[in-house]
Amino acid sequence: MGRLAAGVAHELNTPLGAVLTMVGSLLRKEEDANKKKRLSIVKDAVEKCKDIINKLLVYSRSPVQTEQGLTFSRFVRSDTNLNSIISGIGEMMSEELKTDNIELNLNLGELPPLRANGSQWSHVFTNLIANARDALKENKVSDPKISVTSAMRNGKRMVTGADNGPGVPEAHRAKIFEPFFTTKEVGRGTGLGLAICREIVRKHKGDMFIKEAEGGGALFEITLDP
């Protein structure tokens, strides 16, 4: 798996590097403020992709190297504002959601900084919003909505992501976080997204649950200890 991860990282880093170079060049030459803003969003997204891919190389190192402190979760943490990450993901996905006529509502309360891996949390929130979007589209929900809420509850950071779709059947909820479990068609989902999201949350001393949203949609709740 380590050799596979290293090979994938190497192969993907080359085209992503080319994209990053071209976007950087366009950004330096662009004078229109709106276009510069969009190019900056693209640049940030590509840099996050490269960052995630580079972390895959950790898994190709030997256990001895890993024990010396090169673990995935330790050497990339810094003080992180979860609300800023959520807002950034919302902005990055806004055009795509508008195309599908999906309304995204962000209700972000004040949260203290978290010592965290920002790239991993970007993955979590991107995955949750993308899954909600897919469920709303596939089920052709009228007036589709996604909401993300953050707040402090009982001394803990809490973030919820909910939609007004059909929700997740009770029979699937017990398996929803299992690796390779997916309700999507063959070729459309690996079943790894939510499993990885929950692992990321747990590495940050938290947990992730699935519940039924008000009105019957799906609701994912993340709680983080102080």
Side-chain angles (χ1 to χ4, degrees):
M1 287 299 291
R3 288 194 294 270
L4 174 62
V8 170
H10 174 74
E11 292 297 324
L12 290 179
N13 257 333
T14 301
L16 282 175
V19 173
L20 197 57
T21 300
M22 293 300 294
V23 172
S25 176
L26 291 170
L27 193 56
R28 286 191 296 272
K29 296 175 182 177
E30 186 58 61
E31 296 181 358
D32 183 271
N34 189 45
K35 290 181 180 179
K36 286 191 74 169
K37 183 180 178 181
R38 294 189 177 192
L39 285 170
S40 294
I41 292 172
V42 173
K43 183 174 179 288
D44 289 344
V46 176
E47 286 177 341
K48 285 176 183 176
C49 289
K50 282 181 64 65
D51 187 46
I52 291 168
I53 289 167
N54 285 334
K55 301 307 181 293
L56 285 173
L57 293 173
V58 173
Y59 295 111
S60 67
R61 296 188 175 109
S62 69
V64 174
Q65 289 176 301
T66 303
E67 287 170 7
Q68 291 174 345
L70 299 176
T71 60
F72 184 79
S73 60
R74 283 179 59 195
F75 75 97
V76 289
R77 293 195 181 198
S78 60
D79 286 341
T80 302
N81 186 320
L82 290 183
N83 284 340
S84 295
I85 294 176
I86 295 169
S87 297
I89 297 302
E91 190 169 5
M92 185 176 72
M93 300 183 69
S94 62
E95 289 297 325
E96 186 177 356
L97 293 172
K98 285 179 183 176
T99 301
D100 296 320
N101 295 314
I102 296 174
E103 180 182 337
L104 175 64
N105 297 308
L106 302 182
N107 307 300
L108 307 179
E110 188 172 346
L111 295 178
L114 177 71
R115 191 74 178 168
N117 181 313
S119 295
Q120 289 180 328
W121 281 100
S122 293
H123 172 85
V124 171
F125 298 127
T126 300
N127 194 276
L128 290 180
I129 294 174
N131 280 353
R133 174 205 62 203
D134 291 346
L136 294 170
K137 284 179 62 178
E138 289 170 8
N139 291 277
K140 299 179 180 177
V141 175
S142 60
D143 194 24
K145 291 183 175 66
I146 300 171
S147 64
V148 181
T149 303
S150 67
M152 290 295 295
R153 301 271 174 83
N154 300 319
K156 295 185 177 184
R157 300 173 183 83
M158 180 177 288
V159 180
T160 60
D163 62 61
N164 63 339
V168 178
E170 188 72 37
H172 290 166
R173 291 181 196 174
K175 301 179 181 179
I176 200 76
F177 296 111
E178 291 181 5
F180 305 111
F181 176 81
T182 180
T183 58
K184 295 181 180 180
E185 299 174 4
V186 175
R188 293 206 56 207
T190 62
L192 287 173
L194 288 175
I196 292 172
C197 287
R198 193 181 208 184
E199 181 64 20
I200 289 170
V201 174
R202 286 180 169 176
K203 281 184 177 180
H204 289 85
K205 298 183 179 180
D207 210 345
M208 186 173 180
F209 309 92
I210 182 168
K211 300 180 178 181
E212 185 173 313
E214 186 177 345
L219 183 148
F220 287 89
E221 180 182 280
I222 295 170
T223 57
L224 292 163
D225 288 335

